[in-house]
Amino acid sequence: MNFTSPRRRFASAAVAGIALTGLLSACGGSGSDDDAASKSGPVTLPFWGWANGQEAVVKAFNASHKDVQLKYTKVTDQLTMQKQLTNAVKAGNAPCLVQNTAEYVTSWVSQDALADITQYVEGEKSKFNTGAWASAQVQGKLYGVPTSSAPQFTIYRTDIFKKYGLEPPATWDDFIAAGKVLKKHNIKITNYAGEDPSTLEVLAMQAGAHWYAIDGNAWKVDFQDEGTLKAAKVIQEIIDNDLNAKLSFADYAAVQRSYDSGATATRQISTWQMAGMVQNFTKSFGDWALAPWPAYQGEAAKTPAGTNLTGSVTLVTKQCEDQEQAARAALWMSTNQDAVKTMASPETGNGVMPALADSGSYVGESISQKLLGKNYDPAKKVVTDSLGTVTTDWTYGPNWTAMFTELQAGWAKVVNKQEKVTDLLAHMQEWTVEDLKSRGISVKG
C-alpha cells in the first residue's frame, strides 16, 4: 500500500536548473568524530520503522556495538510514518534513521529533509544489487541505504484453479478470461482496494510507462502515454466485468479472510506480503503456488519494480547530529548476515528480499514453505527469475506524495465505477503539471 502526506510547498530554485540541481540539492553535514567523542556515553540514534523483525535486528545491533546504540520506535504503518515524519521535520526533532520506500525519497530530498551520506557509504556499492542501490539515490547522491528488493509474482489458489480447469494466467488476457470463469462461481480473481491505486501504477510501469521524466532542465509529465493506456485498458476490463473484489486494507483481516476462504483467488505481490498471509491464514496453507506476473499479449515477461514494493531504504535525516554513525548503522542492518536473515524470513521478519548483490541466495528464506506446501521448491525459480526482469527505469517525481493523494481520490471513483480509468489519467495529467508549476518547478506536459 501507499500513502501520501499533506501538500507542502517546496523552496523555489532557479528555474533553469531546478530539475537537475536546485530542486533536489541537500546539504550533507554531519557531526564530527570529535563531537561524538566529547559526548558522554554512546551515541544514541533514534530509528523509526514499521517492519516486523526490526526490533530483533536493533537488539542485535545494540548488543554488538558499544559506542553507538539504536533507539527503536515502531510506527504503525507506512501511512503513519509519512505523517509523523512530516510533523517531526517541521518541529525540528526528526529521528536519525527512518524506514521508507523508494517512491518517497525524491520528495523528502526536495523538502531538504534528508542528509547526503554518499561519502560514508559509496564504498559499499558492490555489496548491493544495482536496482536497490539506485533506489536510495537522487541525482547520484545517496540519502540512505537500501534494505530490500522487491521481486514480483502472482500467487494463486491451486485448488480453485484445478477445480475449474484453469492454468495460471501467462498474459493479462488470460487473467481476464480466468476471472470470467471464476465469476460464474462467485469467486473474484483479484482485489482492488479503493484507497490503493498502486495497481494502476505497477501495470503502467510494466507496460513501459513513464509518468515522470527529466527532460533537459525540466520535469516531463505524461499520464497518457502508450504504456499507461495499455494498463488502463486491462484494469477497466476487470472492473467493467466485476472480476475484482473491493475490500479495503483498512479492514486487513477481512482482506486476508477473503484469500484464505477462497473468495479471492490470486494476488500480484512480492515476498514481503506473504508474511501477512502466513500470520493470518488458518485454512489454506499448502494450497498456494507462485507464477510469473502476467505479461501483456505478445510481449516478453517483465516485472514491475512496484510502488512501495520497490523495496525499502533506511534514510538518514538532515536533522541528525550523528550522520556518519547513522549511515554506518544503516549499512550494518542491511549487510549483517544474521540481520538480513531475520528480515528475510516471513516468520521472524517481513519476508523481504535483501537488497544485496547475492539476494538470490536468500530466496528460500524469504518465501514460506508453510504457505506453499509442495509448491515451495518450484516457487524458488519463479522468484529468482523475477529478479532478472524487474523494471529499472521508473522515475519518481518531486511532488510524488501530493500526486499520489490526488490519484487515490480518483482511484476510489474508478473502483466504484463513478469514472473511467482514462478520465482519471486525463485529470492527473492536468493536475500534476499545475501542481508542479505552483511549486515553482519547471515542467513540460
Side-chain angles (χ1 to χ4, degrees), residues 324-396:
E324 180 175 2
Q325 290 91 336
R328 298 197 184 286
L331 274 171
W332 186 93
M333 289 189 285
S334 289
T335 58
N336 176 270
Q337 188 175 45
D338 291 335
V340 169
K341 287 183 178 180
T342 295
M343 295 305 296
S345 169
E347 280 77 28
T348 63
N350 221 35
V352 295
M353 185 67 66
L356 300 175
D358 63 343
S359 57
S361 64
Y362 292 89
V363 167
E365 292 166 315
S366 67
I367 60 176
S368 171
Q369 190 160 15
K370 181 178 181 180
L371 181 65
L372 299 170
K374 65 181 181 181
N375 304 307
Y376 173 75
D377 285 331
K380 294 179 186 177
K381 185 178 187 306
V382 174
V383 177
T384 301
D385 288 349
S386 75
L387 287 168
T389 60
V390 174
T391 305
T392 59
D393 61 351
W394 183 260
T395 300
Y396 294 103

Side-chain angles (χ1 to χ4, degrees), residues 53-381:
Q54 285 179 333
E55 290 172 283
V57 170
V58 167
K59 184 177 180 180
F61 178 91
N62 289 341
S64 60
H65 293 77
K66 295 181 180 180
D67 298 331
V68 179
Q69 295 284 284
L70 297 176
K71 183 180 180 181
Y72 183 68
T73 298
K74 188 175 180 64
V75 178
T76 305
D77 52 34
Q78 185 168 329
L79 171 62
T80 305
M81 170 67 79
Q82 312 306 321
K83 292 178 179 177
Q84 291 187 358
L85 183 57
T86 295
N87 293 335
V89 169
K90 287 180 179 179
N93 58 5
C96 278
L97 294 163
V98 180
Q99 177 190 358
N100 223 300
T101 50
E103 68 263 39
Y104 298 111
V105 177
T106 303
S107 292
W108 285 117
V109 171
S110 299
Q111 295 176 55
D112 204 22
L114 303 182
D116 175 3
I117 60 168
T118 307
Q119 61 179 314
Y120 306 128
V121 301
E122 60 184 344
E124 308 298 320
K125 179 179 180 180
S126 63
K127 293 182 180 179
F128 296 87
N129 68 59
T130 303
W133 188 254
S135 71
Q137 294 185 62
V138 177
Q139 295 182 255
K141 295 180 179 179
L142 289 151
Y143 295 92
V145 177
T147 61
S148 64
S149 302
Q152 303 268 312
F153 43 80
T154 299
I155 189 167
Y156 68 98
R157 283 286 295 262
T158 56
D159 54 336
I160 292 174
F161 271 63
K162 182 178 180 180
K163 182 177 181 179
Y164 299 113
L166 299 172
E167 296 292 328
T171 68
W172 286 113
D173 287 352
D174 296 340
F175 189 84
I176 291 168
K180 290 178 179 178
V181 172
L182 294 175
K183 178 184 175 182
K184 297 175 183 178
H185 306 283
N186 297 315
I187 299 170
K188 302 296 187 181
I189 196 166
T190 191
N191 179 59
Y192 289 166
E195 74 277 9
D196 185 13
S198 59
T199 296
L200 174 57
E201 181 190 347
V202 293
L203 263 70
M205 185 186 298
Q206 183 193 19
H210 294 90
W211 290 355
Y212 292 88
I214 292 176
D215 185 359
N217 292 325
W219 285 93
K220 180 181 178 182
V221 174
D222 194 350
F223 282 81
Q224 297 170 299
D225 61 7
E226 181 181 355
T228 304
L229 295 178
K230 188 185 297 186
K233 183 176 182 297
V234 169
I235 292 169
Q236 195 65 61
E237 191 165 355
I238 290 170
I239 291 174
D240 286 347
N241 286 280
D242 297 311
L243 308 183
N244 61 295
K246 296 186 288 186
L247 299 173
S248 170
F249 284 103
D251 190 349
Y252 187 70
V255 175
Q256 297 295 350
R257 282 196 301 272
S258 179
Y259 296 122
D260 195 24
S261 68
T264 307
T266 80
R267 296 181 72 183
Q268 274 77 45
I269 62 171
S270 186
T271 54
W272 66 269
Q273 289 151 309
M274 296 174 73
M277 302 173 80
V278 172
Q279 294 158 10
N280 288 277
F281 284 4
T282 60
K283 302 176 181 178
S284 60
F285 289 117
D287 291 333
W288 295 87
L290 304 189
W293 256 69
Y296 287 97
Q297 194 70 35
E299 296 185 8
K302 187 178 182 182
T303 304
T307 51
N308 63 321
L309 312 181
T310 326
S312 290
V313 293
T314 304
L315 301 173
V316 179
T317 68
K318 196 172 182 180
Q319 293 176 7
C320 180
E321 295 181 358
D322 304 290
Q323 292 171 12
E324 180 175 2
Q325 290 91 336
R328 298 197 184 286
L331 274 171
W332 186 93
M333 289 189 285
S334 289
T335 58
N336 176 270
Q337 188 175 45
D338 291 335
V340 169
K341 287 183 178 180
T342 295
M343 295 305 296
S345 169
E347 280 77 28
T348 63
N350 221 35
V352 295
M353 185 67 66
L356 300 175
D358 63 343
S359 57
S361 64
Y362 292 89
V363 167
E365 292 166 315
S366 67
I367 60 176
S368 171
Q369 190 160 15
K370 181 178 181 180
L371 181 65
L372 299 170
K374 65 181 181 181
N375 304 307
Y376 173 75
D377 285 331
K380 294 179 186 177
K381 185 178 187 306

Side-chain angles (χ1 to χ4, degrees), residues 211-212 219-223 399 403 426-445:
W211 290 355
Y212 292 88
W219 285 93
K220 180 181 178 182
V221 174
D222 194 350
F223 282 81
N399 67 336
M403 180 281 293
H427 169 72
M428 291 308 304
Q429 177 68 28
E430 181 179 357
W431 186 94
T432 305
V433 169
E434 291 305 313
D435 183 70
L436 288 171
K437 288 179 178 178
S438 75
R439 299 168 187 266
I441 299 172
S442 182
V443 59
K444 300 176 181 178

